[in-house]
Amino acid sequence: MSVQALIERAASLGTITGQRRSALYRQISALGWKTSEPGSEEVAVEHPTLAASIGDAMRASGLTTQDIAVMVGYATGDDLGPYTGTQHHGLRVIGGNTVR
């Protein structure tokens, strides 16, 4: 968990004042931690796979992309979000659009 997230949580709980929150953010900025906290380069990037493997299992059971879209609450089968699975190959733009 990032230091900034901890500060925000403490502020939301009222554990620290707004003045203390501002002071902590100034300190983080002075240390250069706003973009790269200490130790962050040592944390492996996570690649979630559970939803994709669920999508793959659903396809393997004979369901179509449209069937899966209805089941997981997507309006169309064009984009299943995290349920896309490993069969989908394309570029993904932040915001959910798929470029093929």
Side-chain angles (χ1 to χ4, degrees), residues 79 92-98:
D79 181 13
R92 190 153 182 83
V93 177
I94 296 176
N97 297 324
T98 301

Side-chain angles (χ1 to χ4, degrees), residues 51-70:
S53 64
I54 291 170
D56 287 342
M58 294 171 92
R59 266 189 215 82
S61 72
L63 293 171
T64 67
T65 301
Q66 188 62 40
D67 294 334
I68 298 169
V70 170

Side-chain angles (χ1 to χ4, degrees), residues 66 68-77 79-83:
Q66 188 62 40
I68 298 169
V70 170
M71 292 175 79
V72 299
Y74 281 79
T76 69
D79 181 13
L80 296 177
Y83 298 94

